[in-house]
Amino acid sequence: KVSERLTSPHPLVRKTRDALYKAKPDNSGVIHNWRIKHLNVRVSAGLLNRALRIMDCLIKFFEKQGFEVSIGNQDESTGTYVIIFEEKIKFYIQEKSVRKNHVPTEKEKEDLERWHHAYFDKYDYIPSGKLTLQIDSWSAAGIRKRWSDGKIQRVEKFLSDFAVNVVKMAELERSDRIEREERWRQQEEERRQQVEMERLRQIEKERLRNLENQAVSWFKSNQLRDYIRAIETAALKRGLSIGRQKKNRHHKETTKGLQDSGYTACQADAG
């Protein structure tokens, strides 16, 4: 239940109150303090106290359930998270603005008469006085994420519904994360298998290349041996032939010499 007064606020609520208490509103009447990190409260000064009391009630409820509430990092100065099942669920309170046609001031009218190209905004945006409590998530799955002030009921009546749906959103995002992680794991396993298959294919390719090189080397080695053997055989045959020729020539010369000697001797005996 939301307290009627902001007493003993949570440290994050106190920090937000201190950051926004003297902050200046923007053109739509919403107060900001970009220099100090604080809860994601986007309201006018008139609704600041009410918004802080709602935030205080929610934060204390979440922490009572064992959930942690934190504000954003340096890049998210107004981010507000509740961490459930290791999931960060963002939420915020916002006061909607109402757009109205701009009514030129007297000075703007004078400027417009003096300078025909004078410019002023066509619309004014003013605080509506109505709060919206929002779960800031892209996940859907039929989970309600927004509650706003109505003509009769206000968002304070729906805080229990809001808290239940925050838990449901955490369950959904956890389930989606586990599914994504499993899908990623399967993809990584497929990539690992592909890499391993490619590695084995390269090993087999290298093995075949080595076998081919060995076969070519073996073939060339056999050709070389056959060539050397053929040369040796030819040389041996040639050597034998030359030897026989020399032997025959020597035999002929010897025979002729003997014949000549015998003829000479016969002539001598005849004389």
Side-chain angles (χ1 to χ4, degrees):
K1 183 179 179 180
V2 179
S3 301
E4 294 295 330
R5 298 178 58 187
L6 188 61
T7 57
S8 301
H10 187 277
L12 294 178
V13 175
R14 186 184 306 113
K15 182 176 182 179
T16 303
R17 180 190 62 187
D18 295 342
L20 297 179
Y21 181 67
K22 295 183 179 180
K24 295 182 179 180
D26 60 17
N27 293 334
S28 63
V30 176
I31 51 179
H32 298 282
N33 188 335
W34 303 110
R35 295 175 297 175
I36 301 175
K37 294 193 299 181
H38 56 80
L39 295 170
N40 196 345
V41 176
R42 315 171 193 172
V43 298
S44 64
L47 287 186
L48 178 60
N49 184 270
R50 181 186 166 203
L52 291 177
R53 286 187 285 112
I54 293 173
M55 274 291 193
D56 191 61
C57 178
L58 287 172
I59 293 173
K60 289 176 179 177
F61 171 79
F62 284 135
E63 290 190 346
K64 188 176 180 180
Q65 308 308 311
F67 306 139
E68 178 186 354
V69 178
S70 63
I71 56 179
N73 54 35
Q74 293 180 353
D75 297 328
E76 299 169 322
S77 59
T78 59
T80 302
Y81 304 92
V82 56
I83 303 174
I84 304 174
F85 309 137
E86 300 181 355
E87 303 299 323
K88 286 184 176 181
I89 307 301
K90 247 176 151 179
F91 66 96
Y92 61 85
I93 293 179
Q94 179 182 26
E95 180 181 2
K96 290 184 177 181
S97 297
V98 177
R99 190 182 75 175
K100 291 187 175 181
N101 292 327
H102 177 71
V103 178
T105 63
E106 291 300 324
K107 185 178 184 306
E108 289 173 341
K109 291 178 181 179
E110 292 175 1
D111 291 343
L112 188 59
E113 290 178 0
R114 185 178 304 175
W115 298 291
H116 296 290
H117 298 290
Y119 173 81
F120 53 83
D121 291 331
K122 186 177 180 180
Y123 301 104
D124 290 327
Y125 295 88
I126 61 176
S128 65
K130 295 183 178 181
L131 290 181
T132 293
L133 186 58
Q134 176 83 38
I135 300 174
D136 191 4
S137 173
W138 289 103
S139 301
I143 298 176
R144 183 178 178 180
K145 296 183 289 185
R146 178 182 296 178
W147 291 259
S148 299
D149 287 339
K151 293 181 179 180
I152 300 175
Q153 292 183 322
R154 304 203 298 178
V155 294
E156 286 88 339
K157 297 292 184 179
F158 302 102
L159 296 190
S160 59
D161 294 339
F162 173 82
V164 168
N165 281 18
V166 167
V167 174
K168 288 181 179 179
M169 188 64 66
E171 292 175 340
L172 174 63
E173 293 196 1
R174 178 176 180 271
S175 176
D176 289 344
R177 176 177 57 81
I178 292 174
E179 183 178 342
R180 287 194 305 271
E181 291 174 352
E182 177 61 21
R183 188 163 55 247
W184 179 85
R185 189 195 64 79
Q186 292 178 356
Q187 292 172 350
E188 285 298 305
E189 177 62 20
E190 290 176 0
R191 281 193 288 268
R192 188 196 66 78
Q193 292 179 1
Q194 290 174 357
V195 170
E196 179 64 13
M197 290 175 63
E198 178 63 20
R199 187 185 70 84
L200 295 176
R201 191 182 70 82
Q202 290 297 331
I203 291 175
E204 180 65 15
K205 184 178 179 180
E206 183 65 21
R207 188 182 70 85
L208 291 175
R209 185 184 297 113
N210 291 335
L211 286 175
E212 290 175 356
N213 292 337
Q214 292 174 8
V216 170
S217 297
W218 179 83
F219 181 74
K220 289 182 177 180
S221 177
N222 284 344
Q223 281 186 321
L224 182 60
R225 282 195 298 269
D226 292 343
Y227 178 71
I228 293 173
R229 188 179 298 112
I231 291 176
E232 291 175 345
T233 301
L236 179 61
K237 290 180 177 179
R238 186 164 176 254
L240 292 175
S241 176
I242 293 173
R244 283 196 297 269
Q245 290 176 2
K246 287 183 178 180
K247 183 177 180 181
N248 291 336
R249 187 167 54 250
H250 178 71
H251 177 71
K252 289 180 179 179
E253 291 176 353
T254 302
T255 302
K256 184 178 179 182
L258 291 175
Q259 290 176 350
D260 291 344
S261 297
Y263 176 75
T264 304
C266 289
Q267 284 184 338
D269 291 339

